[in-house]
Amino acid sequence: MSGHSKWHTIKHKKGAADAKRGKIFTRIIKELTVAARNGGGDPEMNPRLRTIVAEARSVNMPQDNIKRAIRRGTGEEEGVSYDEITYEAYGPGGVAIMIETLTDNKNRTVGEMRHTLTKYGGKLGDANSVARMFEKKSSISVEKGKVEEDTLMNAVLEAGADDMTDDGDSWEVLSQPDVHTAVLEAVKALGVEPSSALVGMVPTNTVKLEGKEAQQMLKLMDALDDNEDTKNVFSNADISDKDIEASLA
């Protein structure tokens, strides 16, 4: 599980750069469109859409952009249609990788994913080749300095969370996907803004990588994450703080 959490820490640090802002907006617009298409355009009646709208507001996306994306999803406005596709893959050292994408061109996306994986010592896997190594969970990270441990734990457990773990500088709250919104709202009710909050794939076990393999894996994850069609990337790689800091230097 540590590899999963640490990767989100890396993405959070790198995502603070202004250069990432356009990529974040593009991803959120795609997610708003798909969520509205699948569950309707009313956030009060569509929990998934409500969560994405909250994320859009947290990164100061203009309200007009949010409304247009939702209208495209409900068919009230013309626009590109996106498909959700998850790719399973292997990385350096045989680690498992799950790549969630939102794409308007499946052939382009699979070609780009295959090229990136090959470049950094990985390869695409067959369907269900690594999915069994992950379970779907809500993962909410809260910086330790923002709230007392007992206060946070009491609030999230009452809202339905399964567990809260120590992830170095942050607390990681793990829940079942169906209570993600309730737990997130419980955290925000404390006056706390999480550093990350998503429903994703958490590994059931991890593979330790060090040195050259660790550095290659970090480069691969970064390259996959930078692809315009990528929504989320998860792996079961366990990489030391030393290797992570070296990659950020």
Side-chain angles (χ1 to χ4, degrees), residues 60-150:
N60 299 316
M61 177 177 284
Q63 188 66 24
D64 285 348
N65 292 26
I66 296 173
K67 290 179 178 178
R68 279 198 301 272
I70 292 173
R71 287 198 299 267
R72 282 198 293 271
T74 58
E76 299 171 75
E77 190 168 316
E78 291 186 4
V80 178
S81 178
Y82 299 102
D83 292 306
E84 295 181 281
I85 303 173
T86 298
Y87 298 98
E88 300 179 41
Y90 297 94
V95 300
I97 305 172
M98 299 285 287
I99 311 162
E100 296 178 345
T101 66
L102 289 164
T103 179
D104 61 344
N105 187 323
K106 299 177 185 178
N107 291 334
R108 180 196 68 226
T109 302
V110 70
E112 291 177 352
M113 293 298 160
R114 183 179 289 110
H115 173 75
T116 300
L117 286 160
T118 301
K119 181 177 179 180
Y120 294 100
K123 64 178 181 178
L124 278 177
D126 296 328
N128 299 316
S129 58
V130 303
R132 57 187 170 77
M133 303 179 195
F134 296 83
E135 57 182 339
K136 201 161 194 175
K137 287 274 193 179
S138 160
S139 173
I140 299 172
S141 293
V142 178
E143 292 177 23
K144 287 184 176 179
K146 291 185 176 181
V147 63
E148 292 293 329
E149 178 182 4
D150 289 344

Side-chain angles (χ1 to χ4, degrees), residues 2-70:
S2 59
H4 164 83
S5 303
K6 287 175 181 174
W7 175 242
H8 281 288
T9 300
I10 295 166
K11 287 206 291 186
H12 174 64
K13 289 177 181 176
K14 292 192 173 186
D18 289 341
K20 291 283 186 178
R21 188 176 178 85
K23 170 68 161 48
I24 292 170
F25 274 25
T26 298
R27 175 184 59 78
I28 291 175
I29 286 171
K30 290 180 180 180
E31 290 197 64
L32 287 168
T33 301
V34 171
R37 183 185 70 197
N38 293 339
D42 182 358
E44 295 304 315
M45 301 297 293
N46 185 341
R48 179 182 176 187
L49 180 61
R50 184 165 67 247
T51 298
I52 302 166
V53 168
E55 182 183 359
R57 289 172 177 162
S58 74
V59 296
N60 299 316
M61 177 177 284
Q63 188 66 24
D64 285 348
N65 292 26
I66 296 173
K67 290 179 178 178
R68 279 198 301 272
I70 292 173

Side-chain angles (χ1 to χ4, degrees), residues 47 135-138 162 175-182 198-200:
E135 57 182 339
K136 201 161 194 175
K137 287 274 193 179
S138 160
D162 293 333
S175 314
Q176 295 303 311
D178 60 345
V179 297
H180 172 78
T181 300
L198 76 159
V199 174

Side-chain angles (χ1 to χ4, degrees), residues 161-235:
D162 293 333
D163 194 14
M164 190 174 89
T165 61
D166 188 334
D167 192 35
D169 294 334
S170 302
W171 302 113
E172 182 178 30
V173 181
L174 296 173
S175 314
Q176 295 303 311
D178 60 345
V179 297
H180 172 78
T181 300
V183 175
L184 180 58
E185 290 175 351
V187 172
K188 291 186 174 184
L190 299 174
V192 176
E193 189 63 39
S195 54
S196 70
L198 76 159
V199 174
M201 307 305 293
V202 177
T204 56
N205 56 67
T206 59
V207 175
K208 183 72 173 178
L209 293 183
E210 295 178 316
K212 184 177 179 180
E213 281 189 335
Q215 295 300 314
Q216 191 174 31
M217 182 63 185
L218 291 168
K219 290 177 181 177
L220 169 58
M221 295 290 279
D222 202 24
L224 290 170
D225 189 57
D226 280 343
N227 187 287
E228 285 296 324
D229 295 332
T230 298
K231 174 183 172 184
N232 283 305
V233 185
F234 305 98
S235 85

